[in-house]
Amino acid sequence: MLFTAAISQAQQDAQFTQYMYNTININPAYAGSRGMLSIFGLHRTQWVGLDGAPVTNAFSMNTPINESRVGLGLSFINDRIGPTKENQISADVSYTIPMANEFKLSFGIKATANLFQLDRSMLNPDVVIDPSLQNIDNEFSPNIGAGVYLHSDKFYAGLSVPNFIETTHYSDVDESISKEKLNYYFITGYVFDVSPNLKFKPALLTKMVFGAPLQVDVSGNFLIAEKFVLGAAYRWDAAFSGLAGFQVTDGLFIGYGYDRETTELRNYNSGSHEVFLRFELFKRVDRITTPRFF
């Protein structure tokens, strides 16, 4: 055992089951793509019953600028995991180029301010004076990301890296260095018109982080009578999810998701819950006749 070494890989970026409604947090090119002011708020409680499990709150808003090709976005994420807390404030700018067959190609840039905290009082180290476990109080680190987003009324695909800079914590301590790796995201989805009152949208998200297994999320949602959304999702080798949503008004949509682990963690928690609200303002009453499904 003296010659044995181990590396532990853990969740870094906040994880969302209903990523298809929260695209702005992972791809800045999404800003303004819905053609209206879109305000989004989400609360996620992961692995309920497990002490120190992640709790995430997210808020974002994005809008096109008048009739131009420019879109702007602003987002905030609060992520708590055990003794650590991270607050991220991001600003997004996108530029859209019209293409053939009603497709649009958007390019985006994200600038992020990250505040990281570690509360040592929540830990019980064997060595009371451990130089690798000192308090960190709102350690500031800037970052920048980028993305591309191709979309039409029925199809979308995007590739993005929200953070290019690999931020290092404890860089002045030889015993422990924590580095946040680059996260590569690819998303895609398509809306099928099954009948006049029924639409089906399969969607895919893949997340690649160096040194960790490839994460693949697949989902399928049905939109019934432009009002009700029912669906299911599967996170490869991790969890099954049930999804539901209701279009309360043309501008207000509410959604809920529940995850059940397929790993050994299922023996130590009662699942994960996610609820969100999306509120949108139309510039004109006839801006759109029906809410878009992504």
Side-chain angles (χ1 to χ4, degrees), residues 56-293:
T56 306
N57 293 290
F59 172 82
S60 67
M61 57 190 302
N62 70 93
T63 183
I65 302 302
N66 297 323
E67 300 299 326
S68 71
R69 298 179 180 180
V70 178
L72 297 179
L74 183 67
S75 60
F76 171 77
I77 298 177
N78 171 263
D79 196 28
R80 290 175 287 151
I81 305 177
T84 67
K85 180 190 294 185
E86 282 194 84
N87 291 307
Q88 292 184 356
I89 303 174
S90 301
D92 307 283
V93 179
S94 70
Y95 186 81
T96 300
I97 301 174
M99 302 179 69
N101 299 322
E102 299 184 352
F103 275 88
K104 296 179 180 179
L105 181 63
S106 301
F107 301 88
I109 297 175
K110 178 185 291 287
T112 300
N114 183 286
L115 296 174
F116 179 82
Q117 297 181 48
L118 172 68
D119 185 358
R120 185 182 181 278
S121 66
M122 298 179 65
L123 302 173
N124 185 26
D126 291 334
V127 180
V128 178
I129 305 176
D130 188 338
S132 66
L133 292 176
Q134 300 305 307
N135 284 334
I136 296 179
D137 187 19
N138 286 326
E139 179 185 69
F140 171 78
S141 58
N143 221 310
I144 190 169
V148 293
Y149 184 65
L150 176 68
H151 61 99
S152 67
D153 288 339
K154 293 184 178 295
F155 171 82
Y156 69 90
L159 182 65
S160 61
V161 180
N163 298 306
F164 281 117
I165 302 174
E166 294 188 337
T167 303
T168 301
H169 304 297
Y170 298 109
S171 58
D172 57 342
V173 178
D174 294 335
E175 290 87 346
S176 177
I177 296 179
S178 172
K179 179 178 288 188
E180 296 183 7
K181 299 289 187 178
L182 271 68
N183 290 254
Y184 300 87
Y185 290 89
F186 173 74
I187 57 173
T188 188
Y190 188 85
V191 179
F192 294 93
D193 292 319
V194 181
S195 72
N197 290 314
L198 182 64
K199 295 180 180 179
F200 174 63
K201 183 191 67 178
L204 169 73
L205 176 146
T206 59
K207 176 182 175 182
M208 184 177 69
V209 184
F210 179 76
L214 180 69
Q215 178 181 314
V216 179
D217 289 35
V218 292
S219 65
N221 279 291
F222 290 94
L223 176 61
I224 306 167
E226 303 290 350
K227 285 288 185 181
F228 303 97
V229 175
L230 291 175
Y234 176 61
R235 185 172 299 117
W236 198 265
D237 285 337
F240 285 102
S241 306
L243 310 174
F246 177 57
Q247 192 76 45
V248 182
T249 66
D250 284 346
L252 181 62
F253 183 77
I254 183 171
Y256 170 77
Y258 174 77
D259 298 353
R260 188 58 180 168
E261 292 292 314
T262 59
T263 67
E264 292 299 317
L265 271 176
R266 68 180 181 275
N267 299 319
Y268 306 97
N269 71 90
S270 57
S272 304
H273 301 271
E274 197 173 277
V275 62
F276 73 85
L277 285 170
R278 184 179 67 195
F279 180 67
E280 296 179 311
L281 295 175
F282 309 110
K283 292 183 179 179
R284 300 192 304 267
V285 175
D286 61 345
R287 181 71 179 185
I288 58 173
T289 57
T290 57
R292 206 177 73 186
F293 201 13

